[in-house]
Amino acid sequence: MKIRSIRAFEIRSDLTGGPPSTPQRRPAWTADAEVASPMSRHDRFKRLRSSWRPAWPSVGCLVTAEDGRWGFGMSRYGPPVIAIINGHLGPLLEGEPAMATERLWDMMQGMTSPYGGGLSCYAVSAIDLALWDLKGKILGQPVYALIGGPLREHIDCYATGNDTDWYLEQGFTATKLACPYGPADGERGLALNEQLVAERRALVGDSVDLMLDCWMAFDVDYSVRLAERLRPFRLRWMEDCLLPEDLDGLRSLRQRLPGLTLAGGEHWYTIPPYAQAAAGRLLDIVQPDIGWAGGLTGCLRIAQLAQAFGQSVILHAGVNTPYGQHFSLAVPNCPMGEYFIGSAPGVPFEEVRLTPGMQVPVAGRVRPTDEPGFGLGLTLADIEALAPGR
Ligand SMILES: [Mg+2]
């Protein structure tokens, strides 16, 4: 079975048919919560990440086999990623064997190597996920079965976001906060960060895991100072403390915070940074995003590498897509799944899911369906409606 065509396009509309119908109880934390970031020292852009991040839409990638069967992948950063797929990788892969995911992934790595980097990895991811969806449909199997699962009956999920009371009500027993302040906010910011974590620990009690996401906002010194202040609140882990390229910084953080569990890697692309972090034992938990770091093929390689060095893999926002759910059900060293909650308290998760076939956590657990491929629940007509005249 050969590939007939590979086409990428912008996803501008909701794949599940519109905004939620249930009224919100209050606006979501994402509406106005300040989150520390690498832009926090620039006053114009400090308050909200949306003020400086690109407004590029998401990317859909449709791979069609010569018999008309198809698979669908998704990623981010629309125009440049679409250009890489439609202007480079897609035409070169047409006519190649559609089931040969290792071969095709290796070819894509080679083809993008002269310009490489993050954006090419988003394009590789979208194509790879579409190929696995197609492979599952051709074989009549869910992807988790194709990769050797299930390893577990369900995925234990943790909720990411700052509407902690809502997550407790929904039955989550682990939750991660976005850290509001960083080095630019000085001593007052340190105190306010401590106050937030203290309040949330008091709210969740002793039996719920509490984590802190620092979204690349800190340096080593600030990370150490904040971590020392937060010791009484028993964080399960601190995440993404430093700029992604700063592996030497991670080594230093490890030495200065020997008792703290460190997580990171959601902004790493291709395999080498994960290999360095594994071999150097720089992190306890690596968090590739299946739509960014090289698709399912890339994340399976990362997981096996991590397992050899005693690391866990907990995908970035892994429960927010059917792609991540299939990985998380099947991979041995994947103990939990992240469910990022940007929707408002009161709105049922079914009303904000990514695709109609996607399952959402109930009482902090989820299991993808047994539908072939990733069980996206989309028809070709749904996808063609996204890209008229494709
Ligand atoms: Mg994160």
Side-chain angles (χ1 to χ4, degrees):
M1 183 72 66
K2 291 183 175 167
I3 296 172
R4 182 205 291 165
S5 67
I6 297 178
R7 296 286 182 272
F9 39 84
E10 293 180 355
I11 299 177
R12 290 192 172 273
S13 56
D14 192 323
L15 290 170
T16 51
S21 53
T22 304
Q24 63 185 37
R25 290 182 202 161
R26 63 173 193 257
W29 69 282
T30 44
D32 70 345
E34 181 161 350
V35 175
S37 85
M39 290 296 286
S40 294
R41 59 173 160 264
H42 299 281
D43 288 344
R44 258 181 78 201
F45 301 110
K46 174 174 165 42
R47 182 77 182 83
L48 290 176
R49 289 183 288 184
S50 57
S51 69
W52 57 268
R53 301 191 76 186
W56 294 331
S58 295
V59 175
C61 179
L62 183 67
V63 174
T64 309
E66 57 191 352
D67 71 350
R69 282 186 281 191
W70 55 273
F72 187 61
M74 285 182 259
S75 191
R76 293 177 72 169
Y77 298 127
V81 171
I82 289 168
I84 292 169
I85 296 173
N86 290 346
H88 184 199
L89 299 177
L92 293 175
L93 297 183
E94 288 169 11
E96 288 291 322
M99 304 278 278
T101 42
E102 283 289 326
R103 168 189 169 104
L104 294 162
W105 194 86
D106 193 59
M107 291 173 78
M108 291 192 282
Q109 292 302 315
M111 289 168 180
T112 54
S113 59
Y115 56 90
L119 289 171
S120 73
C121 225
Y122 288 82
V124 170
S125 302
I127 295 174
D128 182 78
L129 292 172
L131 287 166
W132 277 98
D133 189 40
L134 171 62
K135 187 190 286 199
K137 287 173 177 166
I138 290 173
L139 296 175
Q141 293 283 322
V143 172
Y144 75 72
L146 298 185
I147 57 177
L151 189 286
R152 46 189 67 83
E153 287 305 307
H154 55 257
I155 304 158
D156 288 320
C157 307
Y158 74 87
T160 292
N162 290 9
D163 289 318
T164 312
D165 56 335
W166 168 237
Y167 315 146
L168 292 178
E169 187 182 321
Q170 292 301 306
F172 290 97
T173 56
T175 185
K176 186 172 75 193
L177 295 165
C179 191
Y181 303 109
D185 301 289
E187 282 297 319
R188 182 167 176 276
L190 270 174
L192 290 171
N193 285 339
E194 180 181 348
Q195 184 184 335
L196 172 71
V197 174
E199 285 172 2
R200 298 312 162 93
R201 173 52 80 192
L203 177 65
V204 304
D206 287 335
S207 58
V208 168
D209 279 334
L210 192 61
M211 295 79 88
L212 189 68
D213 186 2
C214 310
W215 212 65
M216 310 175 279
F218 302 167
D219 51 28
V220 172
D221 181 61
Y222 190 90
S223 305
V224 172
R225 292 169 67 208
L226 180 60
E228 294 295 347
R229 287 181 76 136
L230 297 181
R231 274 189 196 281
F233 312 109
R234 301 177 310 287
L235 288 176
R236 175 70 184 81
W237 72 68
M238 273 176 67
E239 168 176 327
D240 226 2
C241 293
L242 310 176
L243 285 171
E245 299 79 11
D246 189 8
L247 296 182
D248 279 340
L250 274 182
R251 195 168 288 113
S252 173
L253 205 52
R254 196 57 139 171
Q255 288 160 357
R256 293 180 61 181
L257 291 171
L260 185 68
T261 300
L262 292 174
E266 74 188 58
H267 301 101
W268 288 342
Y269 304 103
T270 75
I271 308 301
Y274 296 98
Q276 290 169 41
R281 299 183 189 271
L282 305 182
L283 295 174
D284 302 286
I285 299 162
V286 289
Q287 302 167 300
D289 188 300
I290 201 165
W292 310 352
L296 178 62
T297 304
C299 285
L300 289 173
R301 290 181 184 211
I302 291 163
Q304 293 190 345
L305 186 58
Q307 187 168 17
F309 286 92
Q311 295 173 314
S312 297
V313 178
I314 303 176
L315 295 180
H316 173 250
V319 175
N320 289 74
T321 69
Y323 310 116
Q325 290 185 12
H326 280 255
F327 173 99
S328 302
L329 194 72
V331 167
N333 54 327
C334 178
M336 24 179 2
E338 177 181 23
Y339 189 55
F340 176 87
I341 304 177
S343 54
V347 174
F349 299 145
E350 291 83 1
E351 296 184 18
V352 291
R353 58 185 158 187
L354 182 65
T355 71
M358 181 180 137
Q359 301 300 293
V360 295
V362 175
R365 291 175 164 184
V366 74
R367 181 186 171 108
T369 69
D370 294 331
E371 292 298 308
F374 287 109
L376 302 174
L378 295 168
T379 65
L380 195 54
D382 294 330
I383 291 166
E384 283 172 343
L386 296 172
R390 178 184 46 79

